[in-house]
Amino acid sequence: MRKMKLVLYYLIVLGSSVVISTYGPHQLAQMTGDILLGGLFPIHFGVASKDQDLAARPESTQCVRFNFRGFRWLQAMIFAIDEINNSSTLLPNITLGYRIFDTCNTVSKALEATLSFVAQNKIDSLNLDEFCNCTDHIPATIAVVGAAGSAVSTAVANLLGLFYIPQISYASSSRLLSNKKQYKSFMRTIPTDEYQATAMADIIEYFEWNWVIAVASDDDYGRPGIEKFEKEIEERDICIHLNELISQYFEDHEIQALADRIENSTAKVIVVFASGPDIEPLIKEMVRRNITDRIWLASEAWASSSLIAKPEYLDVVAGTIGVALKAGRISGFREFLQKVQPKRDSHNEFVREFWEETFNCYLEDSPRQRESENGSTSFRPLCTGEEDITSVETPYLDYTHLRISYNAYVAVYSIAQALQDILTCTPGHGLFANNSCADIKKMEAWQVLKQLRHLNYTNSMGEKMHFDENADMAANYTIINWHRSAEHGSVVFEEVGYYNMHIKRGAKLFIDKTKILWNGYSSEVPFSNCSEDCEPGTRKGIIDSMPTCCFECTECSDGEYSNHKDASVCTKCPNNSWSNGNHTFCFLKEIEFLSWTEPFGIALAICAVLGVVLTAFVMGVFVRFCNTPIVKATNRELSYVLLFSLICCFSSSLVFIGEPQDWTCRLRQPAFGISFVLCISCILVKTNRVLLVFEAKIPTSLHRKWWGLNLQFLLVFLCTFVQVMICVVWLYNAPPSSYRNHDIDEIIFITCNEGSVMALGFLIGYTCLLAAICFFFAFKSRKLPENFTEAKFITFSMLIFFIVWISFIPAYFSTYGKFVSAVEVIAILASSFGLLACIFFNKVYIILFKPSRNTIEEVRCSTAAHAFKVAAKATLKHNTAARKRSGSIGESSASTPSSSISLKTNSNDCNSTSGRNKPRVSFGSGTVTLSLSFDEPRRSSLM
């Protein structure tokens, strides 16, 4: 333990007494006071590169390139302390002092300065009295303001956190510093990069860029910032073509290689998460190559950097979009900056160098003058220190947009307010053990840290100031655009928008495009996409082995559309719509069905009505001539039913025309099926009755029973009832319904969903079965008397029926939409017309145009002729059989008796008007007498 204390003692002594060359951490701004504040500011941009070969004692590196903005930040801290010391309300009777060091924007210089803060705070607590006499020491540093760079602040925070010395940074925005477990005493008045990265991603999305280059400083500021930025743009489908790290200490060949990659990249937007010194070497190389077609998106660290915002760089960086801190107002600060003079500000050792750099001269007794005389630096004239600072243009006096300066000002006031809270604390209401208060005269740094964590006050601008749970202070960003001044060609930071991180997403970013000048002169937004925009009507298609931002434009498929550029997917049109030819919008599909108003529907309706009219005409003829022999012979009552069923068949086809409704869908198939079964049942009964009459040798009581009219109607009813039951079961279990078919591209077909194809098959199948039986009987009775028997015509009508409905099946299943209904209507009409024409037209023709054939004698003669033909056929068959039997018993010697068939009739029999004639047919050994009666009560007329 003793050895550890000894080592720490030497480190502290080293930090407070090391001797360095001209402008190093030994150079400081210092003023004593009751309470001492520390300050760390980048008064220089870096250190001179020097090879330490250790041949002699190593010397501290020299800081180079004076930072005018960093010096203004330092002045803001001093100004705030002077205001507080002159205030009668804030910390009365207490004087604040300060010790401010130059970090030279490097970790090593910052740590040298930080050791001096720690030294005075911990000498007493380390019990080092045995090693030195430390009774005469300056007050302890109770808080430190700084540093600027995140990498520098990270190193400083690690050291100050060991001793719980509060550190308030004004410019370190790395999100890693929000980790309170690692950086216990770190606080800041600048927003974290968590928000800055989101703001930059939103800006890229706002301008519809998706192909960018990312450049980050190789430190704790750039790496975490660009890492967060990558996550944000990934959510927005934005791709990074190049992702590079950079540092102010890169060799020339490294900078040139980076510039080569940027120059060869197709991305036009360069997002930079780095400080001014780190990005300056790349900007110089871009200027040397005259690469002026790039747009720079600057992070807060260099968004308004005077190191980059130089007229000689404007050809490259003009048009830069910067994410800058919201500017604040500091009353009286302008006059304070103008009053600076080397002789009056002797407590601030940085003023001398500032004066020399501003006026490009040397003050009397300046160390740099001696270096000039030795030839190590360029020659400069002497200056008096009385020059007018307002006569020159310098970033130091750029007080129009106070951002970092304002943050440093707020940091000092936050510490002062915490001290005020300690000073005014009432015992019993404090933040410490047992609600006690700290003693302002004996307080320690950790007590100030505790008070800062609970800070809550309103500043002079009326803003609420407090630190959140991560010790960050809320703030907003201003979006700036780098313009070229028309007067003297310098850079002008034009405010073009803002980013408010505290409102809902989508409304956080506001940019006024009309104020932006791209590349310093153009108002057209540059294009920085991997692929050209996809026009409406197309979508982005993936290209193999390429990032998602690189795509090819693929036309939307039929039925899909895109109405905006760069659509990732095409939107499917609603079911009732279809895409236009360019696939940019959807239009309502045309609704189609077999309409009453279209020519095809009109033609079918006319045919159906014509069928009804013709059938009604035939029925009228039959009713008018109901007592004529032909009408009587065709079983007029059954013919009436047959004609009625045909009217129903023709009428059922009309239900298929028009917009399908649920009720029409449920009506049309049963109406068609029952009508046809009723029709075919009548034909079947008629055909079967004729066949029984003419094939019966001797009429029996059974035949007469079958010939009865009541039984005929019963058979018709039974056949029709089966079809009715099929329809009832169908409608109960799977009723048809109206259906909109969206499968066709530009048309919606309104059709009927039959509910059950099997039920439809049973309905048509049963109809065809009856037709087949009817065809069988009709074919069997085809040779009956021609003048009143329609067997041949029924046979032909059944052939037509089968041809129609066999053709209907493939046609029905191969068509779609309204043509399904049309096919079935055509089938119904064709088969109905076939039945009507074949069965009735010949009879109507005879009745109307050949009345001579519509007589009893005509019917009687044809009937007798048919009977004779049958008898002759039977006799020939009988004789042939007899001869065969005679030959089998050996009567070959006897002569075969001749047989003759003689027809003995009265020549006037066919012309006789008597109601009863008995034609005789004589066969060799006997006579057969056929008697036919046409008496109305017997109903013995043939069909």
Side-chain angles (χ1 to χ4, degrees):
M1 187 65 181
R2 180 180 176 85
K3 291 181 178 179
M4 291 179 64
K5 290 182 179 181
L6 184 61
V7 170
L8 184 58
Y9 166 74
Y10 280 119
L11 287 173
I12 294 171
V13 172
L14 176 64
S16 58
S17 61
V18 64
V19 178
I20 52 180
S21 60
T22 312
Y23 294 105
H26 77 286
Q27 190 180 17
L28 76 162
Q30 176 176 271
M31 187 177 73
T32 59
D34 301 322
I35 299 174
L36 199 64
L37 304 184
L40 296 172
F41 291 87
I43 308 303
H44 294 83
F45 283 114
V47 293
S49 133
K50 189 174 183 180
D51 183 19
Q52 300 284 3
D53 58 3
L54 302 181
R57 182 184 180 88
E59 295 182 356
S60 179
T61 53
Q62 183 178 4
C63 297
V64 294
R65 295 188 300 168
F66 192 83
N67 182 0
F68 291 94
R69 292 179 69 225
F71 181 66
R72 187 177 72 235
W73 303 341
L74 177 149
Q75 289 288 79
M77 178 177 176
I78 295 176
F79 176 74
I81 292 175
D82 287 348
E83 274 192 340
I84 294 168
N85 288 337
N86 294 327
S87 173
S88 58
T89 58
L90 187 59
L91 297 179
N93 303 320
I94 294 178
T95 302
L96 295 181
Y98 53 83
R99 298 179 69 216
I100 304 174
F101 292 92
D102 179 13
T103 65
C104 300
N105 207 36
T106 59
V107 172
S108 59
K109 294 296 183 182
L111 287 178
E112 289 181 28
T114 305
L115 284 173
S116 68
F117 298 144
V118 174
Q120 299 301 325
N121 288 43
K122 286 301 175 181
I123 286 179
D124 292 337
S125 62
L126 292 175
N127 295 320
L128 298 178
D129 293 339
E130 55 186 298
F131 298 102
C132 67
N133 181 11
C134 300
T135 56
D136 186 16
H137 63 278
I138 59 178
T141 302
I142 53 92
V144 175
V145 176
S150 295
V152 176
S153 287
T154 300
V156 172
N158 281 321
L159 182 54
L160 294 179
L162 293 175
F163 305 99
Y164 291 94
I165 300 175
Q167 172 192 0
I168 303 181
S169 174
Y170 46 84
S172 299
S173 56
S174 173
R175 63 190 183 94
L176 298 180
L177 290 167
S178 295
N179 185 352
K180 293 302 104 182
K181 293 182 179 179
Q182 184 174 357
Y183 307 105
K184 303 178 182 65
S185 64
F186 180 82
M187 311 177 85
R188 54 185 163 192
T189 56
I190 184 174
T192 172
D193 288 336
E194 190 91 8
Y195 303 113
Q196 184 179 188
T198 304
M200 296 174 78
D202 284 346
I203 291 173
I204 293 175
E205 183 181 30
Y206 177 83
F207 289 112
E208 299 179 356
W209 297 323
N210 68 5
W211 194 236
V212 299
I213 299 171
V215 179
S217 57
D218 191 11
D219 55 26
D220 289 341
Y221 170 73
R223 287 191 300 269
I226 210 67
E227 179 183 340
K228 173 64 176 175
F229 174 76
E230 289 173 4
K231 292 180 181 179
E232 290 291 332
I233 65 172
E234 186 177 352
E235 296 176 1
R236 296 164 172 79
D237 293 329
I238 300 170
C239 301
I240 295 179
H241 185 210
L242 295 177
N243 198 343
E244 303 286 346
L245 293 176
I246 195 172
S247 172
Q248 59 179 311
Y249 303 112
F250 268 16
E251 300 292 338
D252 289 344
H253 68 88
E254 293 177 294
I255 295 296
Q256 292 172 2
L258 175 57
D260 287 337
R261 292 191 291 272
I262 292 175
E263 187 174 11
N264 295 328
S265 173
T266 56
K268 301 300 181 183
V269 175
I270 306 175
V271 181
V272 181
F273 247 98
S275 62
D278 286 324
I279 195 63
E280 186 186 24
L282 177 61
I283 298 296
K284 285 183 177 179
E285 181 64 21
M286 300 286 279
V287 170
R288 187 185 70 82
R289 300 188 182 202
N290 195 30
I291 302 175
T292 60
D293 61 341
R294 298 298 193 269
I295 296 299
W296 301 81
L297 182 55
S299 66
E300 168 276 326
W302 71 282
S304 56
S305 172
S306 59
L307 189 65
I308 307 300
K310 295 179 179 178
E312 57 266 30
Y313 296 159
L314 264 181
D315 288 340
V316 171
V317 299
T320 295
I321 300 294
V323 180
L325 297 175
K326 185 178 179 181
R329 298 191 306 273
I330 306 177
S331 300
F333 188 50
R334 174 181 180 180
E335 292 75 13
F336 177 81
L337 292 177
Q338 294 175 348
K339 290 178 181 178
V340 64
Q341 277 192 348
K343 295 179 180 179
R344 187 172 64 244
D345 298 315
S346 58
H347 61 279
N348 187 347
E349 299 176 5
F350 300 109
V351 173
R352 294 178 61 84
E353 185 178 1
F354 160 73
W355 205 264
E356 291 177 349
E357 292 296 328
T358 299
F359 293 99
N360 194 25
C361 64
Y362 290 132
L363 292 170
E364 190 176 356
D365 298 327
S366 171
R368 299 181 66 184
Q369 182 183 11
R370 292 191 293 269
E371 293 177 5
S372 176
E373 293 173 354
N374 295 332
S376 58
T377 61
S378 60
F379 173 78
R380 291 183 181 181
L382 291 176
C383 46
T384 62
E386 300 289 341
E387 289 80 6
D388 183 9
I389 190 65
T390 60
S391 64
V392 295
E393 183 179 348
T394 170
Y396 168 75
L397 292 179
D398 183 13
Y399 43 78
T400 55
H401 301 289
L402 299 177
R403 295 184 174 90
I404 304 299
S405 300
Y406 181 72
N407 285 351
Y409 179 81
V410 170
V412 175
Y413 264 89
S414 296
I415 297 171
Q417 190 64 46
L419 296 176
Q420 178 72 14
D421 292 342
I422 293 175
L423 179 63
T424 59
C425 177
T426 303
H429 296 84
L431 299 176
F432 305 100
N434 300 322
N435 295 324
S436 61
C437 298
D439 186 353
I440 191 72
K441 296 180 180 180
K442 299 179 180 179
M443 66 178 178
E444 298 183 37
W446 65 270
Q447 293 174 315
V448 179
L449 178 61
K450 175 72 171 179
Q451 200 71 46
L452 280 168
R453 290 178 178 175
H454 293 80
L455 185 66
N456 194 343
Y457 73 102
T458 302
N459 65 6
S460 58
M461 294 178 60
E463 298 173 336
K464 295 287 185 181
M465 312 299 292
H466 71 280
F467 295 98
D468 60 22
E469 64 276 6
N470 294 321
D472 299 329
M473 191 168 284
N476 298 320
Y477 293 105
T478 297
I479 311 302
I480 62 174
N481 182 223
W482 291 22
H483 290 189
R484 188 192 300 269
S485 173
E487 298 178 359
H488 38 70
S490 61
V491 177
V492 176
F493 301 121
E494 180 72 22
E495 291 190 6
V496 295
Y498 61 82
Y499 187 84
N500 190 338
M501 65 186 72
H502 302 297
I503 59 179
K504 64 180 181 179
R505 186 169 183 173
K508 294 182 177 182
L509 178 67
F510 170 77
I511 293 179
D512 186 353
K513 289 184 178 181
T514 61
K515 293 183 178 181
I516 298 179
L517 292 179
W518 303 102
N519 300 111
Y521 59 88
S522 174
S523 58
E524 183 180 355
V525 178
F527 181 83
S528 184
N529 294 42
C530 182
S531 303
E532 292 290 337
D533 294 342
C534 287
E535 295 298 322
T538 62
R539 64 172 179 83
K540 295 187 287 188
I542 298 175
I543 301 177
D544 292 338
S545 71
M546 293 293 288
T548 57
C549 300
C550 301
F551 49 82
E552 57 185 0
C553 297
T554 305
E555 187 177 8
C556 293
S557 303
D558 290 339
E560 297 180 344
Y561 75 99
S562 64
N563 55 9
H564 60 277
K565 288 186 176 181
D566 282 345
S568 299
V569 294
C570 295
T571 305
K572 187 176 179 63
C573 292
N575 282 340
N576 63 343
S577 302
W578 192 252
S579 58
N580 66 327
N582 295 328
H583 302 281
T584 55
F585 64 89
C586 292
F587 60 89
L588 291 177
K589 290 182 178 180
E590 181 181 354
I591 296 178
E592 282 198 4
F593 51 86
L594 190 58
S595 172
W596 292 100
T597 58
E598 64 176 293
F600 194 30
I602 293 173
L604 293 177
I606 291 174
C607 291
V609 172
L610 179 62
V612 171
V613 171
L614 289 175
T615 307
F617 173 76
V618 172
M619 181 177 285
V621 171
F622 267 54
V623 171
R624 172 67 180 80
F625 298 95
C626 61
N627 294 319
T628 60
I630 284 184
V631 175
K632 290 181 179 180
T634 56
N635 196 338
R636 60 188 175 189
E637 287 80 6
L638 210 57
S639 295
Y640 294 157
V641 176
L642 177 57
L643 289 169
F644 171 75
S645 67
L646 284 174
I647 291 176
C648 292
C649 290
F650 283 114
S651 300
S652 67
S653 65
L654 296 174
V655 186
F656 289 81
I657 304 174
E659 182 177 352
Q661 305 290 336
D662 286 345
W663 68 271
T664 58
C665 290
R666 295 185 179 117
L667 174 63
R668 65 184 193 174
Q669 297 294 3
F672 141 72
I674 294 172
S675 299
F676 264 89
V677 165
L678 178 61
C679 176
I680 295 175
S681 298
C682 293
I683 298 172
L684 176 62
V685 171
K686 284 164 60 70
T687 308
N688 184 45
R689 183 171 179 272
V690 171
L691 191 63
L692 287 174
V693 168
F694 280 96
E695 288 192 349
K697 307 276 190 308
I698 300 174
T700 63
S701 60
L702 179 63
H703 292 153
R704 293 188 181 94
K705 182 179 180 180
W706 276 99
W707 294 345
L709 186 60
N710 293 332
L711 184 58
Q712 295 174 40
F713 285 138
L714 177 61
L715 291 175
V716 171
F717 171 76
L718 291 176
C719 292
T720 308
F721 180 74
V722 173
Q723 185 77 306
V724 171
M725 292 309 298
I726 292 174
C727 294
V728 169
V729 173
W730 181 9
L731 293 176
Y732 179 78
N733 291 313
S737 60
S738 176
Y739 168 70
R740 290 178 177 258
N741 186 351
H742 300 277
D743 296 337
I744 309 303
D745 291 350
E746 300 180 10
I747 301 173
I748 298 176
F749 286 118
I750 304 180
T751 60
C752 285
N753 180 6
E754 302 300 350
S756 172
V757 177
M758 182 180 294
L760 180 62
F762 274 118
L763 184 141
I764 297 177
Y766 177 69
T767 306
C768 292
L769 175 64
L770 292 180
I773 298 172
C774 185
F775 175 78
F776 172 76
F777 287 131
F779 182 79
K780 194 172 181 181
S781 59
R782 67 189 181 281
K783 295 182 180 180
L784 296 181
E786 297 178 354
N787 63 334
F788 64 97
T789 300
E790 62 267 31
K792 291 181 181 179
F793 295 108
I794 291 175
T795 304
F796 187 64
S797 68
M798 290 299 103
L799 284 174
I800 295 175
F801 183 88
F802 279 121
I803 291 172
V804 168
W805 288 102
I806 289 173
S807 303
F808 164 77
I809 294 173
Y812 182 84
F813 288 103
S814 62
T815 54
Y816 56 87
K818 66 180 180 181
F819 301 106
V820 175
S821 299
V823 165
E824 192 162 356
V825 171
I826 292 171
I828 293 172
L829 293 177
S831 55
S832 299
F833 274 114
L835 292 172
L836 179 64
C838 293
I839 296 174
F840 292 102
F841 281 6
N842 183 51
K843 296 177 178 56
V844 171
Y845 174 77
I846 292 173
I847 292 171
L848 296 179
F849 302 105
K850 300 290 183 180
S852 59
R853 296 176 58 184
N854 188 13
T855 62
I856 295 175
E857 290 78 6
E858 188 72 18
V859 173
R860 187 180 297 167
C861 289
S862 62
T863 303
H866 176 74
F868 298 154
K869 291 178 183 178
V870 172
K873 184 178 179 181
T875 301
L876 290 174
K877 184 177 181 181
H878 173 75
N879 289 342
T880 301
R883 282 196 299 269
K884 288 182 179 179
R885 287 196 299 271
S886 299
S888 64
I889 58 176
E891 295 180 352
S892 58
S893 60
S895 61
T896 304
S898 61
S899 300
S900 63
I901 301 175
S902 60
L903 176 61
K904 298 178 180 180
T905 62
N906 192 318
S907 61
N908 296 324
D909 283 346
C910 291
N911 298 323
S912 175
T913 60
S914 64
R916 297 178 182 269
N917 289 300
K918 298 181 179 179
R920 293 178 178 271
V921 182
S922 297
F923 303 97
S925 58
T927 301
V928 176
T929 301
L930 177 62
S931 175
L932 295 175
S933 174
F934 294 93
D935 294 341
E936 184 68 21
R938 294 290 301 274
R939 302 290 184 184
S940 58
S941 62
L942 299 182
M943 294 180 64

